[in-house]
């Protein structure tokens, strides 16, 4: 067995102090179930003070919302048990649906609002007149646990989330820099695939961690907006570098001579990326300006007769310019973050930021999760009411709690069953404390002293990520059993009855989840890919441009989700991830083409058929039918030539780069583009219909 570290023991002691403070206050004001405050203090305990405080806020909000809803519902429906169970099931399903969609730590509030309603409503079914008293007592007990947990973890040697967030941010920047340098220097494709996969995972994890930053005790809380903006910069690099990688590979493989200044420019950009971390602000700005001038000098002129290599070089130079801009902005944001960590006032935002609402959401999975929780509740309540089981409410309550706890997993059954095993293992501990130790004690000091050994050991295992779930299950089973009983009057019969109800409720949650929510990793991966295609079809058929930054963040999130699911089954996900990255590039090109179309009316007649053809292709993918792609390549080539012949300007340049990107992404094996109108000016090809 691994010896506990100092940090693990400190966490365990702080969690114990918070729990005992909450228990003492609960006993002082004579709350009916004081051990609910103990359970709450442990549930909100986290390794980082910011996470504790954010979880405390969310838990308090969820408790209040759920309690208020049941105080309103129970008195009105208590004489109609069927209607009340239906209303409770509907409330739980609605709250869980929102929680699963949210995908940030804030989802905890919605989940808690759901199962807190069960904690209030189920004990009040037989006596609706006590629902307000029950709700008030639960809110007080839980609030004391939240308050004590927050204060202890914030005041006693608080551990800030800053080092974790900054470590993850530095890892994201490092992975991005390594990928870019590998692309610029022509390293192997396998290396770049690993780097971009790491970036996708870094960005998703960083966004989830960033939710806790405003609640942290350190200076990092002043840098929250700059950190999110930095995430956007890193995320925005992904489609840029992927496109740049493709253009470089294509130009190098074409056999045509490349500009003499290209390779030295690429080497200098790679060197600047490495040196930028340690260079001063003025030096970075000067180097970036010099690189932009060299890129502009390398940019070829374009007209209706320009060949394919010229178009590729235009696209490459544009991506190189965007790379320099993004990296310079990232360096400026990194300086803002460091200044904030040193205590400087937060600067004005340098650019708009993307919220966590941009993350991938699966409404189908959310609906299945909510239905599973509702059915588990209904089945347990039906059995309870039909048999008049004294502790049947406990079964229904635990069915709801565990349906909610594991709702975000593709297959919740293993997690629920692990909890069931360790809750069962906690039964002897609960029995000893409930039936032997606590009835013999008559002072708070003795209660706290006897609780310490068990709580200290379990707290150490809670501090370890690898054993957190098992330790939490045992602690939840132990303190939850104490919370459900009057520790002064409990007897063996009631203990066995309530324990049986508790385990039946957890088992019911597992069985219902196996029916409704047991999804394979492959099925989840297909759903994520279909979400990509639906969004691409919608973007192509829209009347205006979408929010590009939000789309990029969402697609990177999906890449991370795909990798996680395929890794669980030891599947080779490289091709799937490559396809998703390709979808990301296509989506960004569609967004650029939509912007250019609005600003370049003369070319709209050629661009609109391209977008219509893309929308039809992606709708076919979603439907699982063969794509009708034959005319799309011709539409792209015709649009490319007509746009190239338009008046020079930013919209024309943007449209050219987007069309080149679409051609390379969707038709990489197609023959090189050849201008038709310039070669045969008397010919007037028909624009393909948008069918």
């Amino acid at each position: 067995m691994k010896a506990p570290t100092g940090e693990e023991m400190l966490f365990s002691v702080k969690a114990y102090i918070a729990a005992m403070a909450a228990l003492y206050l609960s006993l002082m004001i004579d709350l009916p179930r004081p051990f609910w405050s103990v359970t709450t203090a442990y549930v909100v305990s986290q390794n980082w003070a910011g996470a504790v405080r954010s979880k405390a806020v969310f838990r308090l909000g969820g408790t209040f919302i759920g309690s208020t809803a049941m105080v309103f519902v129970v008195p009105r429906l208590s004489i109609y048990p069927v209607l009340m169970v239906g209303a409770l099931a509907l409330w739980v399903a609605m709250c869980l649906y929102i929680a699963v969609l949210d995908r940030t730590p804030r989802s905890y509030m919605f989940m808690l609002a759901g199962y807190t309603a069960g904690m209030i409503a189920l004990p009040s079914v037989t006596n609706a007149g006590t629902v307000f008293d029950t709700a008030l007592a639960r809110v007080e007990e839980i609030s004391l646990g939240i308050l004590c947990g927050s204060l202890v973890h914030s005041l006693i040697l608080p551990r800030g989330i800053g080092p974790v967030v900054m470590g993850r941010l530095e890892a994201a920047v490092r992975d991005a820099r390594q990928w870019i340098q590998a692309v610029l220097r022509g390293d192997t494709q396998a290396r770049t695939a690993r780097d971009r996969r790491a970036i996708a995972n870094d960005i998703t994890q960083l966004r989830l961690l960033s939710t806790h930053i405003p609640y942290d005790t350190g200076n990092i809380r002043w840098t929250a907006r700059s950190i999110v903006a930095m995430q956007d910069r890193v995320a925005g690099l992904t489609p840029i570098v992927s496109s740049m990688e493709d253009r470089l590979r294509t130009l190098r493989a074409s056999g045509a001579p490349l500009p003499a200044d290209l390779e030295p420019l690429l080497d200098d950009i790679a060197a600047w990326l490495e040196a930028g971390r340690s260079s001063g602000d003025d030096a970075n700005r000067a180097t970036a300006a010099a690189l932009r001038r060299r890129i502009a000098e390398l940019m070829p002129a374009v007209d209706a007769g320009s060949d394919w290599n010229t178009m590729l070089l235009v696209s490459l130079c544009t991506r190189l310019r965007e790379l320099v801009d993004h990296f310079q902005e990232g360096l400026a944001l990194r300086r803002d973050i460091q200044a904030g960590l040193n205590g400087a006032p937060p600067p004005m935002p340098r650019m708009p930021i993307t919220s966590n609402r941009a993350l991938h959401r699966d409404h189908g999975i959310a609906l299945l999760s909510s239905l599973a929780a509702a059915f588990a509740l209904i089945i347990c309540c039906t059995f309870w009411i039909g048999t008049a089981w004294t502790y049947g409410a406990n079964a229904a309550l635990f069915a709801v709690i565990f349906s909610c706890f594991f709702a975000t997993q593709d297959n919740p059954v293993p997690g629920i069953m692990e909890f069931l095993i360790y809750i069962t293992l906690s039964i002897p501990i609960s029995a000893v404390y409930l039936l032997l130790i606590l009835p013999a004690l008559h002072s708070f000091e003795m209660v706290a002293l006897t609780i310490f050994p068990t709580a200290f050991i379990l707290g150490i295992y809670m501090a370890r990520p690898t054993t957190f779930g098992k330790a939490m299950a045992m602690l939840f089973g132990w303190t939850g059993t104490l919370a459900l009983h009057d520790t002064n009057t409990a007897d063996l019969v009631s203990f066995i009855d309530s324990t049986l109800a508790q385990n039946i409720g957890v088992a019911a949650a597992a069985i219902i989840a196996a029916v409704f929510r047991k999804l394979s990793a492959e099925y989840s991966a297909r759903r994520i890919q279909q979400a990509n295609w639906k969004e691409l079809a919608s973007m192509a058929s829209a009347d205006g441009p979408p929010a590009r930054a939000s789309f990029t963040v969402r697609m990177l999130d999906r890449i991370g989700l795909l990798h996680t699911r395929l890794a669980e089954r030891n599947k080779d996900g490289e091709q799937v991830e490559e396809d998703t990255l390709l979808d990301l590039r296509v989506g960004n090109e569609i967004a650029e083409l939509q912007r250019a179309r609005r600003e370049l009316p003369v070319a709209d007649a050629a661009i609109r058929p391209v977008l219509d053809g893309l929308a039809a292709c992606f709708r076919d993918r979603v439907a699982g039918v063969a794509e009708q792609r034959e005319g799309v390549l011709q539409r792209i080539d015709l649009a490319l030539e007509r746009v190239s012949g338009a008046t020079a300007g930013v919209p024309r340049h943007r449209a050219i780069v987007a069309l080149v990107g679409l051609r390379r992404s969707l038709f990489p094996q197609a023959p090189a583009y050849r201008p038709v109108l310039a070669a045969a000016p008397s010919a007037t090809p028909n624009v393909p219909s948008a069918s």
Side-chain angles (χ1 to χ4, degrees):
M1 183 178 68
K2 177 184 174 183
T5 64
E7 286 189 352
E8 291 169 350
M9 289 190 289
L10 177 61
F11 170 82
S12 183
V13 169
K14 289 196 294 185
Y16 170 77
I17 292 173
M20 291 304 100
L23 179 62
Y24 178 75
L25 294 173
S26 298
L27 292 171
M28 272 192 65
I29 59 179
D30 199 26
L31 292 177
R33 293 289 183 263
F35 275 92
W36 274 128
S37 62
V38 174
T39 304
T40 302
Y42 271 100
V43 169
V44 300
S45 292
Q46 303 284 312
N47 284 318
W48 310 300
V52 174
R53 288 156 62 144
S54 67
K55 195 171 185 180
V57 171
F58 299 143
R59 186 174 181 87
L60 187 60
T63 300
F64 180 78
I65 293 170
S67 300
T68 302
M70 291 305 103
V71 168
F72 177 81
V73 169
V74 170
R76 290 163 175 78
L77 298 179
S78 60
I79 59 175
Y80 309 106
V82 174
L83 287 179
M84 198 186 82
V85 170
L88 180 58
L90 182 62
W91 173 262
V92 170
M94 181 184 70
C95 292
L96 188 58
Y97 179 81
I98 298 172
V100 174
L101 286 182
D102 188 84
R103 288 196 59 227
T104 70
R106 184 181 54 236
S107 65
Y108 187 62
M109 179 174 69
F110 301 110
M111 181 182 72
L112 204 66
Y115 74 70
T116 296
M119 295 171 61
I120 306 302
L122 293 171
S124 305
V125 169
T126 56
N127 189 0
T130 65
V131 65
F132 181 79
D133 294 334
T134 302
L136 181 61
R138 289 300 90 80
V139 170
E140 289 174 336
E141 291 154 2
I142 290 172
S143 298
L144 283 174
I146 291 170
L147 178 64
C148 293
S150 301
L151 287 174
V152 168
H153 286 279
S154 298
L155 298 177
I156 301 178
L157 299 175
R159 185 182 178 193
I161 200 172
V164 180
V165 172
M166 294 308 299
R168 181 66 71 173
L169 182 61
E170 294 297 340
V173 174
R174 182 194 65 240
D175 291 334
R177 186 174 60 252
Q178 289 176 349
W179 179 26
I180 296 168
Q181 290 174 331
V183 168
L184 294 174
R185 292 165 178 164
D187 287 358
T188 63
Q189 190 172 357
R191 165 68 183 273
T192 60
R194 290 196 303 272
D195 290 334
R196 63 177 177 245
R197 184 184 304 141
I199 294 171
N201 181 65
D202 290 337
I203 291 173
T204 297
Q205 295 302 318
L206 190 56
R207 284 194 175 275
L208 297 180
L209 280 173
S210 297
T211 308
H212 302 301
I213 290 177
Y215 302 91
D216 200 71
T217 55
N219 287 335
I220 195 172
R221 64 184 182 274
W222 309 122
T223 70
R225 290 184 63 85
S226 294
I227 287 177
V228 175
M230 184 72 167
Q231 296 166 26
D232 289 346
R233 293 300 93 193
V234 177
L237 283 171
T238 305
I240 293 171
V241 181
S242 178
S243 298
M244 190 174 69
E245 179 181 12
D246 175 79
R247 307 304 176 265
L248 277 171
R249 189 182 301 118
T250 306
L251 283 168
R252 285 165 174 162
S254 67
L258 299 178
D261 295 337
L262 178 58
E263 293 297 342
L265 174 62
L266 298 179
D267 291 338
D268 289 345
I269 293 175
W272 174 62
L273 296 177
E274 186 65 34
R277 296 174 296 165
S278 55
S279 300
D281 191 15
D282 293 338
N284 278 322
R285 279 201 298 265
T287 304
L291 291 172
R292 289 191 192 96
R293 286 194 298 270
R294 292 171 62 184
I295 293 170
E297 293 169 359
L298 192 64
M299 179 82 72
V302 176
D303 56 34
S306 297
D307 62 11
W308 184 226
N309 272 21
T310 300
M311 299 292 188
L312 289 171
L313 189 58
V314 168
S315 178
L316 173 61
C317 290
T318 302
R319 298 310 182 204
L320 288 172
R321 169 64 185 259
E322 292 174 352
L323 168 65
V324 172
D325 291 344
H326 269 64
F327 199 80
Q328 186 183 12
E329 290 167 358
L331 290 174
L333 286 167
R334 184 64 183 84
R335 287 191 295 273
D336 289 347
I337 294 169
Q338 188 59 52
L341 292 174
N342 294 335
M348 293 296 292
R350 294 178 179 270
M351 59 204 71
I353 60 175
T354 304
S355 75
N356 283 332
R357 289 192 297 273
L359 296 177
H360 170 70
R361 288 175 172 80
D362 192 322
H363 291 268
I365 299 299
L367 181 61
L368 286 176
S369 299
S370 60
L371 287 176
F375 271 90
L377 172 64
I378 290 171
I379 289 172
C380 288
C381 284
T382 301
F383 182 75
W384 166 38
I385 295 171
T387 60
W389 185 12
T390 305
Y391 285 92
N394 287 1
L397 174 60
F398 275 82
V400 169
I401 290 175
F402 284 90
S403 294
C404 293
F405 272 2
F406 298 93
T408 58
Q409 298 181 3
D410 287 336
N411 181 9
V413 178
I416 297 176
M417 292 305 298
E418 181 181 70
F419 239 81
L420 178 60
I421 291 170
Y422 283 91
I423 282 180
T424 303
L425 292 176
S426 74
I427 291 176
I429 301 174
S430 303
V432 170
Y433 274 92
L434 184 65
L435 302 176
L436 299 177
I437 296 177
L438 294 181
L441 304 179
H442 302 287
S443 68
F444 168 77
E445 293 80 6
M446 291 303 298
V447 171
L449 188 62
T450 56
I451 285 175
F452 176 75
T454 304
F456 180 68
I457 294 172
L458 291 177
I460 289 173
Y461 284 102
M462 280 181 61
R464 298 175 180 175
T466 55
T467 57
F468 170 81
K470 299 171 183 177
M472 191 67 223
M474 292 196 70
L475 195 140
F476 189 89
W478 171 43
T479 60
T481 299
L482 298 181
L484 291 170
H485 289 83
D486 184 337
T487 54
N488 294 317
T489 61
D491 56 60
L492 181 60
V493 174
S494 64
F495 172 76
I496 293 174
D497 204 4
S498 66
T499 301
L500 181 63
Q502 171 183 293
N503 286 22
I504 287 176
V506 179
I511 293 170
I512 299 301
V515 175
F516 281 88
R517 286 282 286 104
K518 190 175 181 180
L519 307 176
S520 67
E522 291 83 358
Y523 176 77
S524 296
R526 286 197 302 272
R527 287 187 62 86
I528 294 171
Q529 284 188 301
Q530 286 182 336
N532 291 342
W533 301 334
K534 288 178 183 177
E535 186 164 5
L536 290 173
S538 177
M539 289 172 61
S541 59
D543 292 329
R548 178 174 173 178
S550 296
F551 171 76
T552 300
V553 168
R554 189 159 44 251
M555 293 294 283
L556 285 173
D557 181 40
R558 288 170 181 160
I559 291 174
L561 292 174
L562 282 168
H563 176 65
T564 300
R565 280 153 176 76
L566 295 172
E568 287 175 357
R569 295 291 183 271
N570 296 318
K571 296 286 185 180
D572 181 9
E574 185 171 331
Q575 184 58 50
V576 176
E577 292 165 8
E578 187 71 35
D579 292 343
T580 307
L581 184 62
L582 192 64
D583 292 341
L584 169 59
R585 282 165 42 192
V586 169
N588 277 275
E589 307 298 6
I590 290 174
E592 284 299 307
L593 203 57
Q594 286 279 26
R595 290 186 182 89
R597 182 177 67 86
R598 296 172 69 92
E599 300 168 2
L600 196 67
V602 68
D604 183 55
I607 293 175
R608 185 69 260 181
V610 173
L611 294 172
D612 291 341
L614 293 174
C617 284
F618 287 112
R619 282 194 291 266
D620 289 342
R621 285 194 195 180
V622 174
V625 300
E627 297 177 35
Q628 303 298 318
R629 302 178 60 178
E630 291 77 7
V632 177
L633 179 60
Q634 288 76 12
R635 297 181 192 187
I636 291 175
D637 285 351
L638 182 57
L640 189 56
E641 186 165 6
R642 289 192 172 177
V643 168
S644 301
T647 304
V650 173
R652 184 190 76 149
H653 186 82
R654 180 181 292 152
I656 290 172
V657 173
L659 289 166
V660 170
L662 288 172
R663 198 181 196 276
R664 279 296 307 157
S665 297
L666 298 173
F667 304 97
Q669 305 303 322
Y673 159 80
R674 294 171 59 87
V676 176
L677 296 178
S682 61
T684 309
N686 293 324
V687 177
S689 64
S691 58

